[in-house]
Amino acid sequence: MIIKTSDLTPGLLAKWGINLALPLALYFVLPRSESLTPPMIAFLAVTLWAVTAWALDTLNDIAVGILLPILYILLCSTPQKVVFAPWLSEVPIIVIGGFTLGKIIQVTGLGKRIALTCVKLTGGSFAGALAGITLGAAIVSPLVPSIMGKAAIFCAVAVSLCDALDFKPKSREATAVVLGTCIAVGATKLAYLTGAGDLVMGMGIVDKVMGIQTSWIEYAKFNFLPAMLYTAMSLAIVLLVLRSSVNRSVLCAVVEQKHAELGDVTDEQRRALLLLCLTLVLLATDKLHHLSAGSVLVIITALAFMPGIGLMDGKRMASINFAPLFFIMGCMAIGSAGGFLKVTHWLAGLVLPLFSETGACLASVCSYVVGVVLNFLLTPLAATSTLSAPITELGMQMGLDPRILYFSFQYGLDNLIFPYEYALYLYFFSSGYINFKEMVLVMALRMLLTGGFVAFVAMPYWRMLG
């Protein structure tokens, strides 16, 4: 066996040392009791190992996701049917269908056309151009659950707009366009159940704990309006902090040129648009036909292969990167194993005293703060899989609609300061067009204002509907 020693740098070895030392220390330090059994401690140690691996990048995130269920089986006395139960849920088919739709939007050029058309319709000013990109993100968001799929579409549009307007990388104008686009992609996802894979997974965990089934349209009823107001607030922060004096006539001319370069709408794009419209109609009318979001996406995926539609074939299907599915399902195993071992009950018992004397407003803000803090350590997907169940149980014990705390938690996960905290922001930041200091200023101000938004706008709205 030959080991590639060139990869074993002192820095990597130090990271691996930390990655292994922390879980082992946790396992041997935590006291055993009736409420905290050895399998529960082993679960916490294994989960800490995974979290540390993701944070330090000691092992590929997909590899960690694949390994997690096996470690829970071997080290935590968790049955195989428990850790692999998420594969029998609706999440995998939603992810598969969403990735397929994302590929259709990308390869047909429909995503770029939607984005540039929205910019053109509102492109009479710099603010209008950003509003147009945001509108495009809101339209595409429910159709592409892959947040990175949306990032690939809209980052290309934002960068091409900067190049066309001669906005130099890291200038205030370029930062406003690219960062504003990134924020729009992240914020609009909160409006839809199918806006991102972590939302699908988290809502599934919440529903399981509550013993209910939240439909696509019901989720939109709770979250569409608050998420759109939140997106508008975020866009306003970008425009106020990163003010620009771009010539309106120049901007209009460039947008017209870029849109003209797209040419006429192709037959393939028309077919893709019809298919996406059908997807939206089916998702929005689930109360009538009783088809789940996953079933709708699978049907749409199958239709894409049909003769006369021809939007998907074997070659295109083979080019889709389904590897993130294993990461998602590995993260979901955290929730299923933790629930089986009653770790979620134990965590809720630890947190409950901190919330028990608070009202709904303060509890909602606390959930938001928990999401913000976890961003420094976890990916949104990992944080969602780890804490959705305890937060739901906490809400039930407090006599609240637990979904209020869960929604607040998700707003916290959408607020960060540093690019490394979320792959979406890292992707846009890696374009080289965003000034780091200006990004930190915008994101820090947004983080503070969102806490007030959750407490005084979103939470009262959720309670009214609940």
Side-chain angles (χ1 to χ4, degrees):
M1 180 178 179
I2 299 175
I3 299 176
K4 192 177 179 182
T5 56
S6 59
D7 289 342
L8 302 177
T9 62
L12 180 61
L13 291 175
K15 288 181 179 180
W16 266 104
I18 295 171
N19 198 173
L20 295 175
L22 289 178
L24 288 173
L26 179 73
Y27 182 79
F28 288 109
V29 167
L30 281 180
R32 276 67 172 166
S33 66
E34 290 185 5
S35 60
L36 190 61
T37 62
M40 293 169 68
I41 296 175
F43 168 85
L44 292 172
V46 170
T47 305
L48 179 60
W49 169 80
V51 169
T52 310
W54 287 323
L56 298 178
D57 196 24
T58 54
L59 191 63
N60 180 273
D61 54 359
I62 296 171
V64 175
I66 293 173
L67 193 55
L68 261 180
I70 304 302
L71 292 178
Y72 288 144
I73 293 171
L74 296 176
L75 303 178
C76 308
S77 303
T78 309
Q80 182 171 320
K81 65 180 181 180
V82 171
V83 296
F84 289 112
W87 285 95
L88 300 178
S89 70
E90 196 180 25
V91 175
I93 57 176
I94 287 180
V95 173
I96 292 170
F99 281 9
T100 305
L101 278 177
K103 175 60 70 172
I104 291 172
I105 289 175
Q106 182 184 16
V107 299
T108 61
L110 181 61
K112 187 174 183 179
R113 182 175 291 278
I114 289 174
L116 282 175
T117 299
C118 290
V119 172
K120 180 183 177 182
L121 292 174
T122 58
S125 64
F126 186 75
L130 278 179
I133 292 177
T134 302
L135 177 60
I139 293 172
V140 172
S141 185
L143 303 170
V144 186
S146 168
I147 196 71
M148 297 310 295
K150 290 190 279 277
I153 294 170
F154 286 95
C155 186
V157 172
V159 169
S160 64
L161 189 60
C162 289
D163 292 341
L165 292 170
D166 198 27
F167 292 161
K168 302 301 180 185
K170 299 187 179 181
S171 66
R172 173 163 288 194
E173 292 80 9
T175 300
V177 170
V178 180
L179 179 59
T181 302
C182 179
I183 288 175
V185 172
T188 54
K189 79 169 189 177
L190 295 170
Y192 312 99
L193 179 58
T194 52
D198 53 317
L199 295 179
V200 174
M201 179 189 68
M203 204 67 238
I205 294 173
V206 172
D207 284 348
K208 183 177 180 181
V209 174
M210 295 180 65
I212 63 172
Q213 180 65 47
T214 302
S215 67
W216 190 89
I217 196 66
E218 185 180 6
Y219 181 94
K221 180 185 72 174
F222 273 95
N223 288 288
F224 180 79
L225 181 57
M228 291 301 109
L229 292 175
Y230 168 63
T231 302
M233 182 193 76
S234 302
L235 181 61
I237 293 171
V238 172
L239 292 172
L240 288 173
V241 175
L242 305 176
R243 294 180 182 177
S244 177
S245 56
V246 179
N247 187 291
R248 179 169 180 163
S249 60
V250 172
L251 177 60
C252 288
V254 170
V255 172
E256 287 285 351
Q257 178 188 348
K258 287 292 180 181
H259 191 270
E261 289 175 359
L262 294 176
D264 296 331
V265 179
T266 64
D267 289 339
E268 189 176 50
Q269 288 175 349
R270 290 192 182 94
R271 296 196 302 273
L273 183 60
L274 288 173
L275 197 66
L276 295 184
C277 288
L278 175 61
T279 303
L280 275 180
V281 170
L282 290 175
L283 289 173
T285 57
D286 54 1
K287 290 288 188 180
L288 299 177
H289 52 65
H290 304 294
L291 289 174
S292 65
S295 299
V296 168
L297 291 175
V298 167
I299 292 171
I300 294 298
T301 297
L303 286 177
F305 283 90
M306 296 292 288
I309 299 178
L311 294 171
M312 186 56 61
D313 54 28
K315 185 176 180 180
R316 285 183 176 178
M317 196 71 176
S319 68
I320 300 175
N321 179 21
F322 286 114
L325 175 63
F326 295 95
F327 172 65
I328 293 172
M329 303 316 294
C331 288
M332 287 197 70
I334 297 175
S336 59
F340 174 81
L341 295 170
K342 305 299 182 183
V343 175
T344 54
H345 289 78
W346 177 73
L347 286 173
L350 289 179
V351 179
L352 184 60
L354 303 177
F355 287 72
S356 58
E357 301 300 324
T358 66
C361 180
L362 187 54
S364 184
V365 172
C366 288
S367 292
Y368 167 77
V369 172
V370 168
V372 169
V373 172
L374 279 180
N375 270 331
F376 291 98
L377 302 173
L378 292 174
T379 65
L381 199 63
T384 298
S385 66
T386 304
L387 283 186
S388 290
I391 285 176
T392 304
E393 292 176 357
L394 178 63
M396 294 174 71
Q397 292 181 45
M398 293 180 65
L400 298 173
D401 184 337
R403 290 177 294 188
I404 293 176
L405 299 185
Y406 169 74
F407 296 150
S408 301
F409 176 58
Q410 287 297 331
Y411 273 85
L413 293 178
D414 189 54
N415 278 268
L416 48 89
I417 294 179
F418 305 112
Y420 85 87
E421 296 180 48
Y422 192 6
L424 168 68
Y425 285 83
L426 192 60
Y427 183 89
F428 275 83
F429 186 78
S430 66
S431 68
Y433 280 74
I434 297 177
N435 180 285
F436 178 76
K437 291 183 179 179
E438 291 180 333
M439 175 183 176
V440 169
L441 178 61
V442 169
M443 299 306 293
L445 179 59
R446 178 177 181 247
M447 182 182 292
L448 291 173
L449 292 178
T450 302
F453 173 84
V454 168
F456 302 113
V457 178
M459 192 276 294
Y461 177 79
W462 293 328
R463 292 197 75 185
M464 178 183 69
L465 293 179

